[in-house]
């Protein structure tokens, strides 16, 4: 008795993936009133932090207290682990990991929206954060020289591009985009909580390592959240870009599948003929006279008599055949010879 092999767990996973619809209907977030209120509150928080640092308020004094506390000396046992953990906020490694996941998802669902939305978010992050970094020119804790100052407008000094924190803003956008693109409400809630924990921990890790002020981290959280809240405004642009890309792909496929054109033969160029003038026209040919007497017709040859086809007779031996003697002599005719059966004339007798 032959039994079918039991499918493994990997086979069951692939069978479940095959039942997934080719292009499911995705819930595209819209710019609702609730989201607009959150965007406005986050923008106000962003501007408040910038103003507090520019005016050297209590926030700057708190930055100095946290820096002089030197957390990396207070808890040195976790320093090695946090050196690896902070990589979750670096733009290069995180972009590769998230792009790989979103690329696989785009291939499974036959849509480019995940990749295009992530690309739009990263582009907005680089433009907005870089503009504020180089515009304010704040130096980091390792480059600070005047205790109690805000360390701003140091454009020519090394390390003057740390406000806001790029690690923190990148962690908010990179891991928050997974929650933004989630296809179910339950997945969106879980991924939102996970991205919040990762971005908060990465920001505090930079404070522990002494590479950022605490106000840098707070501004990085606000900068990343602003980009995630503003993404629904760019959804029509993402949809248009996806349509254009698919149109170009279909056009390229149809062009590649079209048969090669057959080369046409040489085309004769028509020659324009000039009309002749009456002087150039040739005189009409005169008809030849027809003789009245009919031509003699030769007598038709008599048809050959049809010869009957005789089947060959029975085979006989050579000795039993009747000899056939040819008629006449085979010798050539001679003038001085006389045919047999004719009288020979008498010759004259000579003698004396």
């Amino acid at each position: 008795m032959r039994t079918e092999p039991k499918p493994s767990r990997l086979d069951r996973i692939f069978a479940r993936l095959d039942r997934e619809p080719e292009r499911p209907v995705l819930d595209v977030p819209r710019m609702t009133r609730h989201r607009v209120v959150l965007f406005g509150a986050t923008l106000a928080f962003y501007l408040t932090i910038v103003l507090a640092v520019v005016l050297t308020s209590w926030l700057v004094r708190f930055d100095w207290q946290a820096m002089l506390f030197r957390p990396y000396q207070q808890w040195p046992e976790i320093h090695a682990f946090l050196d690896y953990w902070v990589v979750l906020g670096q733009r290069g490694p995180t972009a590769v990991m998230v792009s790989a996941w979103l690329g696989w998802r785009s291939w499974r669902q036959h849509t480019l929206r995940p990749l295009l939305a992530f690309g739009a978010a990263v582009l907005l992050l680089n433009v907005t954060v870089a503009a504020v970094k180089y515009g304010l020119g704040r130096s980091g804790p390792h480059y600070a020289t005047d205790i109690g100052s805000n360390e701003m407008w140091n454009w020519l000094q090394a390390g003057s591009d740390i406000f806001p924190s790029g690690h923190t803003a990148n962690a908010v956008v990179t891991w928050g985009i997974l929650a933004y693109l989630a296809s179910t409400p339950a997945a969106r809630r879980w991924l939102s909580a996970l991205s919040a924990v990762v971005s908060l921990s990465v920001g505090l890790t930079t404070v522990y390592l002494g590479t950022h002020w605490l106000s840098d981290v707070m501004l990085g959280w606000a900068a990343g959240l602003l980009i995630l809240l503003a993404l629904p405004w760019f959804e029509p642009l993402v949809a248009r870009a996806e349509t254009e890309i698919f149109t170009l792909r279909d056009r390229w496929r149809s062009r590649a599948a079209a048969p090669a054109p057959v080369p046409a033969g040489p085309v004769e160029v028509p020659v324009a003929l000039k009309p002749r003038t009456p002087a150039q026209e040739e005189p009409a040919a005169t008809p030849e006279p027809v003789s009245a007497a009919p031509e003699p017709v030769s007598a038709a040859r008599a048809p050959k008599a049809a010869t009957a086809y005789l089947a060959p007779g029975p085979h006989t031996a050579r000795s039993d055949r009747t000899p056939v003697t040819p008629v006449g002599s085979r010798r050539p005719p001679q003038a001085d010879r006389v045919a047999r059966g004719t009288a020979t004339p008498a010759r004259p007798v000579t003698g004396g």
Side-chain angles (χ1 to χ4, degrees):
M1 180 178 180
R2 184 177 181 182
T3 58
E4 296 294 334
K6 185 177 180 180
S8 62
R9 180 177 298 179
L10 185 61
D11 295 336
R12 291 195 298 269
I13 291 175
F14 279 109
R16 185 176 180 181
L17 290 176
D18 291 338
R19 291 196 300 268
E20 185 180 355
E22 291 187 356
R23 192 169 184 177
V25 179
L26 302 177
D27 184 16
V28 180
R30 295 175 299 172
M31 185 57 73
T32 59
R33 182 178 301 178
H34 177 68
R35 187 180 287 269
V36 171
V37 171
L38 286 177
F39 182 84
T42 306
L43 182 60
F45 179 73
Y46 186 96
L47 297 176
T48 301
I49 295 176
V50 173
L51 187 61
V53 173
V54 170
L55 298 177
T56 317
S57 64
W58 62 271
L59 187 56
V60 176
R61 293 194 298 270
F62 190 76
D63 287 340
W64 278 98
Q65 290 176 2
M67 192 273 286
L68 295 175
F69 181 70
R70 290 181 174 83
Y72 57 89
Q73 292 182 355
Q74 303 296 328
W75 302 286
E77 60 275 4
I78 61 174
H79 194 288
F81 171 74
L82 293 180
D83 277 338
Y84 290 101
W85 183 258
V86 79
V87 177
L88 294 178
Q90 290 185 0
R91 187 173 294 109
T94 55
V96 171
M97 290 186 290
V98 175
S99 298
W101 164 255
L102 295 179
W104 182 85
R105 181 178 170 183
S106 298
W107 176 73
R108 285 293 304 168
Q109 297 178 351
H110 298 273
T111 176
L112 293 177
R113 179 178 169 262
L115 284 176
L116 293 177
F118 178 61
V122 172
L123 181 61
L124 290 173
L125 173 68
N126 293 334
V127 172
T128 57
V129 173
V132 177
K133 276 177 175 288
Y134 293 105
L136 298 178
R138 189 182 189 187
S139 301
H142 293 306
Y143 300 94
T145 56
D146 190 4
I147 297 177
S149 66
N150 56 10
E151 296 294 335
M152 297 185 67
W153 326 118
N154 299 322
W155 295 292
L156 301 179
Q157 185 178 348
S160 58
D161 55 349
I162 53 94
F163 184 66
S165 171
H167 276 69
T168 306
N170 186 71
V172 173
V173 172
T174 302
W175 304 112
I177 196 69
L178 299 179
Y180 176 83
L181 295 172
S183 56
T184 60
R188 185 175 292 111
R189 287 193 297 268
W190 282 101
L191 289 175
S192 298
L194 180 62
S195 62
V197 170
V198 172
S199 58
L200 287 172
S201 61
V202 168
L204 294 177
T205 300
T206 60
V207 177
Y208 168 85
L209 297 174
T211 57
H212 280 286
W213 308 98
L214 183 60
S215 57
D216 299 343
V217 174
M218 297 171 64
L219 195 64
W221 287 332
L225 187 58
L226 282 175
I227 292 173
L228 291 179
L229 291 174
L231 272 181
W233 280 329
F234 297 90
E235 284 293 342
L237 183 61
V238 169
R240 190 182 308 170
E242 181 184 13
T243 304
E244 292 294 333
I245 292 175
F246 280 129
T247 302
L248 290 176
R249 182 201 64 178
D250 296 339
R251 190 180 305 170
W252 179 80
R253 285 183 176 179
S254 60
R255 187 178 302 175
V262 179
V267 180
E268 296 182 358
V269 180
V271 181
L273 300 178
K274 296 182 180 179
R276 295 186 176 182
T277 58
Q280 296 176 349
E281 292 183 357
E282 298 178 359
T286 56
E288 298 179 358
V290 181
S291 57
E295 296 181 359
V297 181
S298 59
R301 294 182 178 180
K304 296 181 180 181
T307 56
Y309 176 77
L310 300 179
H315 179 72
T316 55
R318 191 177 183 86
S319 58
D320 297 338
R321 295 177 187 174
T322 303
V324 179
T325 304
V327 178
S329 175
R330 297 182 181 178
R331 297 180 180 178
Q334 298 180 4
D336 55 349
R337 287 184 176 273
V338 181
R340 294 181 180 182
T342 60
T344 305
R347 296 182 177 179
V349 180
T350 60

